Amino acid sequence: MSTIIALATATGRAGIQVVRCSGPKSLELLFGHTGLRDPKPGRMYYRAVKDNVSRETLDRGLVVYFQGPSSFTGEDVVEFHLHGAPVIARALLDMMAKQHGVRHAQAGEFTRRALENGRMSLSEVEALGQLLMADTRSQLRVLEPIFDGRLQQHVEGLRKLLIQVASRIEASIDFDDEGDVPVDVANDLANDLGLIDHRLAQLMDVGARNQHIFEGVKIAIIGAPNTGKSSLINYLAGHDLALVSDIPGTTRDVLRAEMDITGVKVTFFDTAGLRDTDDQVEQLGIARSHDVMRQADMHIIMTEGYLSEDDVRLLADYPQAIHVASKLDLGGVSPENALHVSTKTGAHMDVFLGVIGERLQELLPDMDGEAGLINQRQLAACGQAMFHVKHCLELSKTPEHVDLLGEELRASIHALDELIGKVSSEDVLGEIFAHFCIGK
C-alpha cells in the first residue's frame, strides 16, 4: 500500500501548519527529512526539517510519530508541525511526493483508511464529517453519542434482538408439526417486534431533531409591504442586507440572515410583501415568498398599526406564528397578543429573541445524551428497517404467512447493517468521503 501525504491544516498563512503522512514509508520520510531514528510513539521532537537530497534546512519545528495500529488511520503516521508560511509545507510535500511509494492523499483518504482498518465505524466517519462543518454548540452535542459509541451499541443491540427473534421463529417452525408458530411464541414475537419498532421510532425522532440542528431552523418573516420586514432582517444580520424604503414592493426577492440563537443555527428569510400587484417582477418575488412560507419551520408575521383584512387572514392561516407589530418608536397601535418592537431603537428586541429561543426549545426538545441519526442516509436505512419490522408485526398475526417472516427479518437486519456500515456500496462511500478535506 502506498504512503499518503497531505497538508492537514487549512491553506494560507497561519501560526503553524501540519503535514501528515500515513503508511509504510512514514518513518522513512521522518528519518529522511529530520535524521530522527526510532522515535518513541506519541512523543514530540524538535528537529530541523531538511531537503532529503541537498540537506538544505527548510524549517525547524516539531515532529511526532503515531504507531499503527493505534494511530488515527491504523497505520504508521508521522506529522510535521511547521511554521505557517505556505512555501515550507509546499516544498516538503513536493519532495516527499517524488519518492517511490509516496503520493498525495485524495479527499478524506486518511479517514477512509481509518474506516478500512477498523479504527472508525461508518457512523463515526459521518459524524466526523459533520464535526468539521459544525457551526453551533448544539451540533457538537448531537455528535457526542456517536463518537463515544452509543449509537453503534444501540443499533447493534437491535440487530442482535432481531437475530434472536429470527432464530426463535425458525426453531419453533422446525419443532411444530403444522409448520406454524405456537401461540406463546407468537405472543413473545409480537412483544419483541413491538419493542424493536418503538426503539427504531425513537432513533427516527431524535434523527429528525438532529436534521433540524444541522440544516438549521428556517424562519420566514412575512406580511404586507412596508410592515418592517426588511428592517427586522437588517437588525438581525447586523448590517444593511435589504433595501428599506417607504415605496411598497421594494423587496422583490428572498433574502436570508443566519444566526446562532441558544446554540441553534437559525436562518431568517425576508420575503416580498404580500399583496395583489400587476408588476411581473414583484409577482415573481411574491411567488418565491410563498415557497419559503411553505418550507419554513417557523413564521413571523409583521404588521403595522390596525390590522387589515389581509393581516387577519394571514394570522388565521398561520395560528402558530409569532405576531410582531413594528415601528414602536413611531407610536401607533399594538394589536392584542402582538409583540411591539422597534428595530430602530432596539426596544423589546431582547424579548423578541427570547420568544424565538423558547419556540426553538419547543421545536427541538432537549434530547442530550440520546443516540440518534444525523443524516438522510442513516434516516433512510432506519426507515427501511422499521418498514420491514412493521410488516413482520402484520405477518405474525396470520399463521399461514409465517414463512415470510424470516425474509422480512433478514431485510430489516440488512438495513441496520447498512446504517452502521457493515455493508456499504462504493458509491455510498465515495459520496461520504467526497465532502472531506484532503488532509483528513
Side-chain angles (χ1 to χ4, degrees), residues 122-142:
L122 185 60
S123 55
E124 288 174 321
V125 168
E126 290 176 309
L128 179 58
Q130 293 282 25
L131 176 65
L132 298 176
M133 302 285 287
D135 297 311
T136 66
R137 290 285 297 275
S138 61
Q139 293 171 342
L140 299 181
R141 285 194 292 269
V142 161

Side-chain angles (χ1 to χ4, degrees), residues 151 154-155 158 198-208 371-373 379 382 416 419:
L151 177 62
H154 191 72
V155 176
L158 291 175
H198 175 70
R199 290 181 179 175
L200 288 172
Q202 285 181 318
L203 275 179
M204 295 287 284
D205 288 343
V206 180
L373 313 177
L379 284 166
C382 189
L416 292 183
L419 197 163

Side-chain angles (χ1 to χ4, degrees), residues 99-110:
Q99 299 179 52
H100 179 70
V102 180
R103 62 174 175 81
H104 291 284
Q106 299 175 353
E109 192 169 1
F110 289 94

Side-chain angles (χ1 to χ4, degrees), residues 27-95:
L27 281 174
E28 185 179 322
L29 291 172
L30 177 63
F31 176 74
H33 290 283
T34 68
L36 181 61
R37 192 189 299 273
D38 299 326
K40 292 183 178 179
R43 179 175 175 178
M44 302 289 283
Y45 295 86
Y46 180 70
R47 283 290 187 275
V49 179
K50 299 184 177 184
D51 184 318
N52 62 316
V53 177
S54 70
R55 308 312 297 169
E56 175 188 1
T57 297
L58 292 173
D59 193 17
R60 287 176 171 81
L62 296 173
V63 294
V64 61
Y65 163 58
F66 301 101
Q67 187 176 32
S70 300
S71 68
F72 171 70
T73 62
E75 305 170 333
D76 283 348
V77 172
V78 166
E79 290 182 354
F80 296 78
H81 294 236
L82 310 167
H83 289 100
V87 63
I88 298 172
R90 188 164 57 244
L92 179 60
L93 287 167
D94 286 345
M95 287 184 288

Side-chain angles (χ1 to χ4, degrees), residues 7 15 21 39 53 80-81 125 168 206 236 258 270 310 382 426:
L7 181 67
C21 319
V53 177
F80 296 78
H81 294 236
V125 168
R168 288 211 311 274
V206 180
L236 295 169
E258 291 188 353
D270 176 27
D310 288 338
C382 189
E426 188 64 28

Side-chain angles (χ1 to χ4, degrees), residues 127-328:
L128 179 58
Q130 293 282 25
L131 176 65
L132 298 176
M133 302 285 287
D135 297 311
T136 66
R137 290 285 297 275
S138 61
Q139 293 171 342
L140 299 181
R141 285 194 292 269
V142 161
L143 297 173
E144 184 55 29
I146 300 177
F147 286 127
D148 69 11
R150 270 177 281 170
L151 177 62
Q152 187 85 5
Q153 292 169 8
H154 191 72
V155 176
E156 289 278 11
L158 291 175
R159 183 180 183 277
K160 184 177 180 181
L161 190 53
L162 281 168
I163 292 172
Q164 290 173 350
V165 170
S167 63
R168 288 211 311 274
I169 291 172
E170 294 295 336
S172 64
I173 292 175
D174 289 342
F175 285 100
D176 188 86
D177 295 335
E178 301 298 325
D180 295 335
V181 176
V183 174
D184 58 335
V185 175
N187 290 336
D188 289 343
L189 172 65
N191 291 334
D192 287 343
L193 289 173
L195 175 63
I196 295 169
D197 182 55
H198 175 70
R199 290 181 179 175
L200 288 172
Q202 285 181 318
L203 275 179
M204 295 287 284
D205 288 343
V206 180
R209 188 281 310 260
N210 292 347
Q211 283 281 91
H212 266 119
I213 288 176
F214 284 111
E215 295 176 0
V217 175
K218 301 177 181 67
I219 304 179
I221 306 170
I222 60 178
N226 284 7
T227 53
K229 299 184 298 300
S230 295
S231 295
L232 177 60
I233 203 164
N234 286 345
Y235 181 93
L236 295 169
H239 62 274
D240 290 340
L241 181 66
L243 290 174
V244 177
S245 167
D246 292 333
I247 302 172
T250 302
T251 301
R252 298 188 172 203
D253 205 349
V254 176
L255 302 175
R256 64 176 63 196
E258 291 188 353
M259 291 185 68
D260 179 338
I261 299 179
T262 63
V264 178
K265 181 181 176 181
V266 174
T267 304
F268 289 94
F269 293 88
D270 176 27
T271 61
L274 304 176
R275 65 168 183 167
D276 293 327
T277 178
D278 294 327
D279 189 308
Q280 292 185 348
V281 177
E282 189 177 352
Q283 287 176 354
L284 290 173
I286 293 172
R288 290 187 179 183
S289 297
H290 283 290
D291 289 339
V292 169
M293 290 160 64
R294 282 190 290 270
Q295 297 170 15
D297 304 300
M298 200 182 303
H299 301 83
I300 298 168
I301 297 178
M302 302 287 292
T303 63
E304 178 193 5
Y306 291 102
L307 298 182
S308 67
E309 290 183 6
D310 288 338
D311 291 334
V312 172
R313 190 179 303 111
L314 192 60
L315 287 164
D317 289 342
Y318 295 93
Q320 301 301 316
I322 300 171
H323 182 189
V324 176
S326 63
K327 306 179 184 179
L328 175 61

